[in-house]
């Protein structure tokens, strides 16, 4: 494997220094270490985020640089399942914000958190704000599913909402494409009927309820899955991967052009 | 004004004690103190959240209890505008979580954060999780706009997305219905063209972009408004208010019935 | 109800901006949500603080502005009584300090925390120092009872010390004047004999012991009251209200004139 | 110097273990390192607190044990004067609370913080509450001046209020008695006229204003003193020392007898 | 690449669950993202730690499991060099402790932090204590160089101390063995003479001074290197790698056998 | 006892101010309050550190100033033994850092933490870094044993490693020299055999293992001792004291001369 000119941590400090002139977007994949049912590895979320991010950055490099993924984040609601690692609320916020402000300290001005873990969303939303507010840079949050359109998943077989929630048709398909050696399809179990139903509360990567609610996973599933992984295929995964990559690459190119305007002070101006 | 039997803080401790048997949903409105353009008061977000919440609780009482609204929250990105109050990231999380866990300590098992401030969303999402994970209760987050459907705003005149973003057609209309004495329509200014455009980043109460991004407001508006308040009317506000109230009341009745299932421990069980 | 020109949150940001020139004192009432015996509502402390503060500000406006009251604060020692809400030690300090430093950020230079809850005193004392030390402003703490003189309560019937401690002759009288609909005098119970006696430890709004000590309330009262609310009357409440208001108004006018002198650096001055 | 049987840190762990049976009061002196004018040492506050505490504990031992004094605490408002050490707000609270909860962990049930620094008061008040609320013990706060009566300082020559505020007649007299070698009376300067006057804000060890307010010391004094140290004498110091010691000893004996009653849970009792 | 049965994150939760019975040691590599001179990549420390850890775990599996490396940690003193990422003091402690306590939550009882970054040492020392003290497990810290003996580096050409400090003969050799494609030997610069000399303060992987001291790197080096990378060779790296791996593998086998004895309570035992 | 011109807290603020010109090294002894076996007092670690530090500072004064020792620090792993006080992880870091940054605020530029407690090492290492990174000063950590050479303890009778670990030959000898009245040699018990043996984990003041590991003391000793105090003598203590003092004094003189070089910014320099 050769040095990847788009990979932040493959570079030396003088190389990084010289790259600031090109004003690349810095992409930080954030995953987690979390149970994903009996058929998927704990690594799922940082593998999906990291792999899609790499593919997108490769498409737009040198206009973007990819950082090493963060493999540990908040997961309290999954702790009844062996193997899950959770970082507490305040720590994960400060950890991500510290990475972003460090990057900005070195002169990069556009930063993207690229997310692979559903429950990371509010944390990374807050962390992105911390970075934007504190640093001389702007920071956006993109989850790999957040740029998808309904037409992108025309192949969908599982029910909406709920069929694509966790360790599901979508995540399993993606992993079959990215890391088939880590998927054990014979252990995949459709897990939808255990989940408490509600007119107001649901989650699906293609659209969640207006009500935000997350309780301990073990209240709603004994497999760890929510959704239907049995209909997953590598081909669906390839399509998901390609479209997520393309959309993210397009975003990167637009975001890099985003003007960072000066703030305006709307206060009455003091005399001295 | 008489004692309101549905209002948490109007009650004495023995009254509260006796009410736990009925298992009411506890509703905590959360607003903020924040600039809303030259025509709206700083109180806007806690007035809208508090008033809709009160109307919904009145409809379902005694199956719900209303708490006094939280009037101060996170607002760093609005600090260029006079009057805005901001609570820092970690403090607002712990403040809201402390209220929820206190409520749960007294035996209430269903808690709802009812939100009136767009930027509260990730913070209250996290806080609701803190409450659900730590207390013997479940906590959900609802923003007043989050239960609306497109058909509910058929009267909309401002453009989508962006016309209903901040101090906009929707918020101004609501305030014209709730607190007309605090609205100065002659000062309302349509503010859309100043906002940096993007294919990937936008915000509207009827649907935001998949990319999450929030920068200092003063970069995109000098009025403090984002959207078009000039097309606001009290009648639109009345309709918004009624539908938001009805939908929230329906949610409360469903949520109160939500089963709080026991957690399951999926670990290998030790011998002792 | 009309817009109140003295009420911070009724105003828009340009109105707030223009008011800084007049250099008003900003008054933040801080109460709590806490049991006050079987005859008083949980809201007692923010209602008393908020109502007295409003009356005083009305007297001196436009030389002062009133903010929305903080309704939740530290109360760990009351948690054995249903309904009480407690915010943990560090959070309430940072919450109050954040409000004060936000206000100072907008150019206001004299800030007063106006307190209605006995146990808020050390917390608000610390928070006021945080604001004064960090911001370009000065912040003072006043509790509604702290400006009273013995002659102001010549009508007192309960014993000193201890008769005016919590849910007592004074607080109940105040509430009978301010919010009679929330007082149930038939449930008021004199609660003094349960309290552990001491030559060195006591609390009364007209003077506490030199020793500072606060333990769980349930160790000393089963009604939640400490003191004698049975001798409370609306007329005593009116007198309390009037004198507290007058004294606070006088303080506001003096405090507004308080010079904020430059700090002096007493260190040896370095050459460069 | 021999081993002091009443001094916590002179003892070994088995000695400490055996002493729990006698249920002694644990006394923790808390001072600070802070400028006290040109004539007094930075150590003043921990020397006065530590010495009075030792004398009182000697009088009542073995019914009390003395701990090593804490020499560093909050002092932000004195940082313009060389030598002052300040511990930030949250840290000093947790530091003191940790000592107290450690002591309680070992089975001691009555703890007293004995204070020598005016600005420690709100911090130690909060810390004492943290200890009482978290540990199986009760904790009180006594400042050496807080038990004095007006008759105890009949010899007073400086004006009230303000003559006994900081590095003043009282503190200087005490130090002339306790550590005369550290007092340079020829450098003592009466410093009262520089201080901004107010009808509502003042501080004196014999009684402060109802308004709590503390700003940077350098705004009101260039000597570091507030009060009149020029009238201090060793004889006044002896009298202060003796009376403070006697009163504190009497308190210790009473406090040791204070019953630690069980908490009562006033909630409706659940079935299981 | 196949699923690695020894790699924590390759496994599913039921696989992890079943592995607890074998009581494997959990190995968490901790590196950093930090400048390592002009010839080495920012990834150096997590690559060295991760690769040696993997090799050692492969030797002893299934008696140990390897976790994904932590790529971001404390680095404030390197921030003058582009690319370096720093996590603040409190956050990195809590982040590592959270991973360890999560692992212990799942029933693993022996945890090893395997370190590749010199300045991680005190942080991981503290974090390991947090894990051991809080969890039902024990946690040790090993740095890849900490198990080496002088005889292991008989090939050393650079001076002792200081020749093997940062981006040096040792680290460069290791990287030439592990990831030669990321090393640019033509850019390696010997950097020793710039470093301020001291009889008491020095650092070398084969033995540091008794005085602990770390200042900003840019005060002592403009290349980012401290030491002599020009004498590095892949063969030295292979020897380093092999011996570090062998020693670490031996430690893992011993540590797994370490008895976790019950704590003893040395307090006088209370009657009830 | 006369005023000690080298003792920070004996001085007044003008004296301190004037001393900054001489640029003395500031020495802060840090001990702890911790069980040291049945024969030594809880004060051991702050007495040893404080006494050696005082002797060294006396030798080099006025080129160094001594501060009052910190008597309370981290000790979680000793809490099974009566009397031990522990400060939690984050608090002790911030407490020490606050003292150091306060000292630097007053213009002192060389600060030394002089340590007497083994488990303080990683905490003080981190705290020293916090001070160096945040303040305009440099801070080093020295433990009294860290400057010793093997030849300095030629009189050693206890086994290596482990004979000099805690409450051992070295600490007991030192105390017999410094504070014989606090040592009860008849209660000293050799405690080595209880300790779990390991090829990789050990601790001795003359050299610890490369693996860092600390578990609850009560798992390895019921006396509280680890090592052999029965071979301690006052003469060994005198020798230890003299050599530690001499080496520390030499370090102080060198450290005072250490140049505090400007940082260099290695980033590409922006145009404006």
């Amino acid at each position: 494997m050769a040095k990847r000119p788009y990979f932040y941590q493959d570079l030396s400090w003088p190389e990084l220094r010289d790259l600031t002139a090109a004003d690349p977007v810095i992409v930080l994949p954030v995953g987690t270490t979390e149970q994903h049912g009996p058929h998927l590895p704990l690594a799922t979320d940082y593998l999906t985020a990291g792999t899609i991010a790499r593919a997108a950055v490769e498409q737009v490099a040198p206009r973007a640089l990819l950082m090493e993924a963060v493999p540990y984040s908040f997961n309290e609601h999954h702790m009844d399942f062996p193997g899950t690692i959770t970082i507490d609320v305040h720590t994960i916020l400060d950890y991500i914000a510290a990475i972003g402000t460090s990057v900005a300290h070195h002169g990069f001005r556009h930063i993207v958190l690229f997310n692979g873990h559903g429950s990371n969303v509010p944390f990374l939303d807050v962390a992105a704000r911390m970075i934007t507010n504190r640093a001389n840079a702007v920071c956006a949050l993109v989850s790999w599913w957040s740029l998808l359109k309904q037409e992108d998943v025309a192949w969908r077989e599982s029910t909406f909402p709920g069929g694509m929630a966790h360790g599901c048709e979508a995540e399993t398909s993606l992993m079959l494409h990215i890391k088939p050696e880590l998927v054990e399809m014979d252990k995949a179990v459709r897990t939808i009927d255990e989940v408490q139903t509600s007119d107001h509360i649901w989650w699906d990567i293609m659209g969640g309820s207006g009500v935000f609610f997350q309780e301990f996973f073990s209240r709603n599933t004994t497999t760890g899955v929510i959704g239907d992984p049995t209909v997953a295929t590598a081909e669906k995964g390839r399509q998901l991967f390609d479209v997520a990559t393309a959309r993210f690459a397009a975003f990167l190119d637009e975001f890099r052009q985003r003007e960072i305007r000066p703030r305006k002070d709307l206060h009455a101006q003091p005399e001295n």
Side-chain angles (χ1 to χ4, degrees), chain A residues 195-227:
Chain A
V195 180
Q196 190 168 175
T197 54
S198 163
D199 291 343
H200 296 89
I201 294 171
W202 70 81
W203 168 249
D204 191 278
I205 66 163
M206 296 310 296
S209 58
V211 175
F212 284 27
F213 179 77
Q214 183 59 61
E215 62 187 332
F216 287 101
F217 249 61
S218 69
R219 287 182 172 149
N220 287 296
T221 170
T222 48
T223 64
V225 169
I226 294 184

CSV table of all heavy atoms in Angstrom, one decimal, chain A residues 195-227:
chain,number,residue,atom,x,y,z
A,195,VAL,N,-40.7,-4.9,18.3
A,195,VAL,CA,-40.6,-3.4,18.5
A,195,VAL,C,-41.9,-2.8,18.9
A,195,VAL,O,-42.9,-3.1,18.2
A,195,VAL,CB,-40.0,-2.7,17.3
A,195,VAL,CG1,-39.8,-1.2,17.6
A,195,VAL,CG2,-38.7,-3.3,16.9
A,196,GLN,N,-42.0,-2.1,20.0
A,196,GLN,CA,-43.2,-1.4,20.4
A,196,GLN,C,-43.7,-0.5,19.3
A,196,GLN,O,-42.9,0.4,18.8
A,196,GLN,CB,-43.0,-0.7,21.7
A,196,GLN,CG,-44.3,-0.2,22.3
A,196,GLN,CD,-44.2,0.3,23.8
A,196,GLN,OE1,-45.1,0.8,24.4
A,196,GLN,NE2,-43.0,0.1,24.4
A,197,THR,N,-44.9,-0.6,18.9
A,197,THR,CA,-45.4,0.2,17.8
A,197,THR,C,-46.0,1.6,18.3
A,197,THR,O,-46.4,1.7,19.5
A,197,THR,CB,-46.5,-0.5,17.0
A,197,THR,OG1,-47.5,-0.9,18.0
A,197,THR,CG2,-46.0,-1.7,16.3
A,198,SER,N,-46.0,2.5,17.5
A,198,SER,CA,-46.4,3.9,17.9
A,198,SER,C,-46.8,4.7,16.6
A,198,SER,O,-46.1,4.5,15.6
A,198,SER,CB,-45.3,4.6,18.6
A,198,SER,OG,-45.5,6.0,18.7
A,199,ASP,N,-47.8,5.5,16.7
A,199,ASP,CA,-48.1,6.4,15.6
A,199,ASP,C,-47.1,7.5,15.5
A,199,ASP,O,-47.1,8.2,14.5
A,199,ASP,CB,-49.5,7.0,15.8
A,199,ASP,CG,-50.6,5.9,15.6
A,199,ASP,OD1,-50.3,4.8,15.0
A,199,ASP,OD2,-51.7,6.2,16.0
A,200,HIS,N,-46.4,7.8,16.6
A,200,HIS,CA,-45.6,9.0,16.7
A,200,HIS,C,-44.1,8.8,16.8
A,200,HIS,O,-43.3,9.7,16.6
A,200,HIS,CB,-46.0,9.8,17.9
A,200,HIS,CG,-47.4,10.3,17.8
A,200,HIS,ND1,-48.5,9.6,18.3
A,200,HIS,CD2,-47.9,11.5,17.3
A,200,HIS,CE1,-49.6,10.3,18.1
A,200,HIS,NE2,-49.3,11.4,17.4
A,201,ILE,N,-43.7,7.6,17.1
A,201,ILE,CA,-42.3,7.3,17.3
A,201,ILE,C,-41.8,6.2,16.4
A,201,ILE,O,-42.3,5.1,16.6
A,201,ILE,CB,-42.1,6.9,18.8
A,201,ILE,CG1,-42.4,8.1,19.7
A,201,ILE,CG2,-40.7,6.4,19.0
A,201,ILE,CD1,-42.4,7.8,21.2
A,202,TRP,N,-40.9,6.5,15.6
A,202,TRP,CA,-40.3,5.4,14.8
A,202,TRP,C,-39.0,5.9,14.2
A,202,TRP,O,-38.7,7.1,14.3
A,202,TRP,CB,-41.2,5.0,13.6
A,202,TRP,CG,-41.3,6.1,12.5
A,202,TRP,CD1,-40.5,6.3,11.5
A,202,TRP,CD2,-42.4,7.0,12.4
A,202,TRP,NE1,-40.9,7.4,10.7
A,202,TRP,CE2,-42.1,7.8,11.3
A,202,TRP,CE3,-43.6,7.2,13.1
A,202,TRP,CZ2,-42.9,8.8,10.8
A,202,TRP,CZ3,-44.4,8.3,12.7
A,202,TRP,CH2,-44.1,9.1,11.6
A,203,TRP,N,-38.2,5.0,13.7
A,203,TRP,CA,-36.9,5.4,13.2
A,203,TRP,C,-36.6,4.6,11.9
A,203,TRP,O,-36.9,3.4,11.9
A,203,TRP,CB,-35.8,5.2,14.2
A,203,TRP,CG,-34.4,5.3,13.5
A,203,TRP,CD1,-33.5,4.3,13.3
A,203,TRP,CD2,-33.8,6.5,13.0
A,203,TRP,NE1,-32.4,4.8,12.7
A,203,TRP,CE2,-32.6,6.1,12.5
A,203,TRP,CE3,-34.3,7.8,12.9
A,203,TRP,CZ2,-31.7,7.1,11.8
A,203,TRP,CZ3,-33.4,8.7,12.2
A,203,TRP,CH2,-32.1,8.3,11.7
A,204,ASP,N,-36.2,5.2,10.9
A,204,ASP,CA,-35.8,4.5,9.7
A,204,ASP,C,-34.8,5.4,9.0
A,204,ASP,O,-34.9,6.7,9.1
A,204,ASP,CB,-37.0,4.3,8.8
A,204,ASP,CG,-36.7,3.4,7.6
A,204,ASP,OD1,-36.2,3.9,6.6
A,204,ASP,OD2,-37.0,2.2,7.7
A,205,ILE,N,-33.8,4.9,8.4
A,205,ILE,CA,-32.8,5.8,7.8
A,205,ILE,C,-33.3,6.6,6.7
A,205,ILE,O,-32.8,7.7,6.4
A,205,ILE,CB,-31.5,5.0,7.2
A,205,ILE,CG1,-31.9,4.1,6.1
A,205,ILE,CG2,-30.9,4.2,8.3
A,205,ILE,CD1,-30.7,3.7,5.2
A,206,MET,N,-34.5,6.3,6.2
A,206,MET,CA,-35.1,7.1,5.1
A,206,MET,C,-36.1,8.1,5.7
A,206,MET,O,-36.9,8.7,4.9
A,206,MET,CB,-35.7,6.2,4.0
A,206,MET,CG,-34.7,5.3,3.3
A,206,MET,SD,-33.3,6.2,2.6
A,206,MET,CE,-34.1,7.3,1.5
A,207,GLY,N,-36.2,8.2,7.0
A,207,GLY,CA,-37.1,9.2,7.6
A,207,GLY,C,-37.6,8.8,8.9
A,207,GLY,O,-38.2,7.7,9.0
A,208,GLY,N,-37.3,9.5,9.9
A,208,GLY,CA,-37.7,9.2,11.3
A,208,GLY,C,-38.9,10.1,11.7
A,208,GLY,O,-39.3,11.0,11.0
A,209,SER,N,-39.5,9.8,12.8
A,209,SER,CA,-40.7,10.5,13.3
A,209,SER,C,-40.3,11.9,13.7
A,209,SER,O,-39.1,12.2,14.1
A,209,SER,CB,-41.3,9.7,14.4
A,209,SER,OG,-40.4,9.6,15.5
A,210,GLY,N,-41.3,12.8,13.8
A,210,GLY,CA,-41.0,14.1,14.3
A,210,GLY,C,-40.7,14.1,15.8
A,210,GLY,O,-40.0,15.0,16.3
A,211,VAL,N,-41.2,13.1,16.5
A,211,VAL,CA,-40.9,13.0,17.9
A,211,VAL,C,-39.5,12.3,17.9
A,211,VAL,O,-39.3,11.3,17.2
A,211,VAL,CB,-42.0,12.1,18.6
A,211,VAL,CG1,-41.5,11.8,20.0
A,211,VAL,CG2,-43.3,12.8,18.5
A,212,PHE,N,-38.7,12.8,18.8
A,212,PHE,CA,-37.3,12.2,19.0
A,212,PHE,C,-37.4,11.4,20.3
A,212,PHE,O,-37.8,11.9,21.3
A,212,PHE,CB,-36.3,13.3,19.1
A,212,PHE,CG,-35.9,13.9,17.8
A,212,PHE,CD1,-36.8,14.0,16.7
A,212,PHE,CD2,-34.6,14.4,17.7
A,212,PHE,CE1,-36.4,14.6,15.5
A,212,PHE,CE2,-34.2,15.1,16.5
A,212,PHE,CZ,-35.1,15.1,15.4
A,213,PHE,N,-37.0,10.1,20.2
A,213,PHE,CA,-37.1,9.2,21.3
A,213,PHE,C,-36.2,8.1,21.2
A,213,PHE,O,-36.1,7.5,20.1
A,213,PHE,CB,-38.6,8.7,21.4
A,213,PHE,CG,-38.8,7.8,22.6
A,213,PHE,CD1,-38.9,8.3,23.9
A,213,PHE,CD2,-38.9,6.4,22.4
A,213,PHE,CE1,-39.1,7.4,25.0
A,213,PHE,CE2,-39.1,5.5,23.5
A,213,PHE,CZ,-39.2,6.0,24.8
A,214,GLN,N,-35.4,7.8,22.2
A,214,GLN,CA,-34.5,6.6,22.1
A,214,GLN,C,-34.4,6.0,23.5
A,214,GLN,O,-34.0,6.6,24.4
A,214,GLN,CB,-33.1,7.0,21.7
A,214,GLN,CG,-32.2,5.9,21.5
A,214,GLN,CD,-32.7,4.9,20.5
A,214,GLN,OE1,-32.9,5.2,19.3
A,214,GLN,NE2,-33.0,3.6,20.9
A,215,GLU,N,-34.8,4.8,23.6
A,215,GLU,CA,-34.8,4.0,24.9
A,215,GLU,C,-33.8,2.9,24.7
A,215,GLU,O,-33.2,2.7,23.7
A,215,GLU,CB,-36.2,3.6,25.3
A,215,GLU,CG,-36.8,2.6,24.3
A,215,GLU,CD,-38.2,2.2,24.7
A,215,GLU,OE1,-38.6,2.3,25.9
A,215,GLU,OE2,-39.0,1.9,23.8
A,216,PHE,N,-33.6,2.1,25.8
A,216,PHE,CA,-32.7,1.0,25.8
A,216,PHE,C,-33.1,0.0,24.7
A,216,PHE,O,-34.3,-0.4,24.6
A,216,PHE,CB,-32.6,0.3,27.1
A,216,PHE,CG,-31.9,1.1,28.1
A,216,PHE,CD1,-32.5,1.8,29.1
A,216,PHE,CD2,-30.5,1.1,28.1
A,216,PHE,CE1,-31.8,2.6,30.0
A,216,PHE,CE2,-29.8,1.9,29.0
A,216,PHE,CZ,-30.5,2.6,30.0
A,217,PHE,N,-32.2,-0.3,23.8
A,217,PHE,CA,-32.5,-1.2,22.7
A,217,PHE,C,-33.0,-2.6,23.2
A,217,PHE,O,-33.9,-3.1,22.5
A,217,PHE,CB,-31.2,-1.5,21.9
A,217,PHE,CG,-31.3,-0.9,20.5
A,217,PHE,CD1,-31.4,0.5,20.4
A,217,PHE,CD2,-31.2,-1.6,19.4
A,217,PHE,CE1,-31.5,1.1,19.1
A,217,PHE,CE2,-31.3,-1.0,18.1
A,217,PHE,CZ,-31.5,0.3,18.0
A,218,SER,N,-32.6,-3.0,24.3
A,218,SER,CA,-33.0,-4.3,24.8
A,218,SER,C,-34.5,-4.4,25.2
A,218,SER,O,-35.1,-5.4,25.4
A,218,SER,CB,-32.2,-4.8,26.0
A,218,SER,OG,-32.5,-4.0,27.1
A,219,ARG,N,-35.1,-3.2,25.2
A,219,ARG,CA,-36.6,-3.2,25.4
A,219,ARG,C,-37.4,-3.6,24.2
A,219,ARG,O,-38.6,-3.9,24.3
A,219,ARG,CB,-37.0,-1.8,25.9
A,219,ARG,CG,-36.6,-1.4,27.3
A,219,ARG,CD,-37.1,-0.1,27.7
A,219,ARG,NE,-36.9,0.2,29.1
A,219,ARG,CZ,-36.7,1.4,29.6
A,219,ARG,NH1,-36.6,2.4,28.9
A,219,ARG,NH2,-36.5,1.5,30.9
A,220,ASN,N,-36.7,-3.5,23.0
A,220,ASN,CA,-37.4,-3.7,21.8
A,220,ASN,C,-36.9,-4.8,20.9
A,220,ASN,O,-37.4,-5.0,19.8
A,220,ASN,CB,-37.5,-2.3,21.0
A,220,ASN,CG,-38.4,-1.4,21.6
A,220,ASN,OD1,-39.6,-1.6,21.7
A,220,ASN,ND2,-37.9,-0.3,22.2
A,221,THR,N,-35.7,-5.3,21.3
A,221,THR,CA,-35.1,-6.4,20.4
A,221,THR,C,-34.2,-7.3,21.2
A,221,THR,O,-33.5,-6.8,22.1
A,221,THR,CB,-34.3,-5.7,19.3
A,221,THR,OG1,-33.6,-6.8,18.6
A,221,THR,CG2,-33.3,-4.7,19.7
A,222,THR,N,-34.3,-8.6,21.0
A,222,THR,CA,-33.4,-9.5,21.7
A,222,THR,C,-32.3,-10.0,20.7
A,222,THR,O,-31.4,-10.6,21.1
A,222,THR,CB,-34.1,-10.7,22.2
A,222,THR,OG1,-35.0,-11.2,21.2
A,222,THR,CG2,-35.0,-10.3,23.4
A,223,THR,N,-32.5,-9.6,19.4
A,223,THR,CA,-31.4,-9.9,18.5
A,223,THR,C,-30.4,-8.8,18.4
A,223,THR,O,-29.3,-9.0,17.9
A,223,THR,CB,-31.9,-10.2,17.1
A,223,THR,OG1,-32.5,-9.0,16.6
A,223,THR,CG2,-33.0,-11.3,17.1
A,224,GLY,N,-30.8,-7.6,18.8
A,224,GLY,CA,-30.0,-6.4,18.6
A,224,GLY,C,-30.3,-5.7,17.3
A,224,GLY,O,-30.0,-4.6,17.1
A,225,VAL,N,-31.0,-6.4,16.4
A,225,VAL,CA,-31.4,-5.9,15.1
A,225,VAL,C,-32.7,-5.1,15.3
A,225,VAL,O,-33.6,-5.5,16.1
A,225,VAL,CB,-31.6,-7.0,14.1
A,225,VAL,CG1,-32.3,-6.5,12.8
A,225,VAL,CG2,-30.3,-7.6,13.8
A,226,ILE,N,-32.9,-4.0,14.6
A,226,ILE,CA,-34.3,-3.5,14.3
A,226,ILE,C,-34.4,-3.3,12.8
A,226,ILE,O,-33.6,-2.5,12.3
A,226,ILE,CB,-34.6,-2.2,15.1
A,226,ILE,CG1,-34.6,-2.5,16.6
A,226,ILE,CG2,-35.9,-1.7,14.7
A,226,ILE,CD1,-35.0,-1.4,17.5
A,227,GLY,N,-35.2,-4.1,12.2
A,227,GLY,CA,-35.3,-4.0,10.8
A,227,GLY,C,-35.2,-5.5,10.2
A,227,GLY,O,-35.3,-6.4,10.9
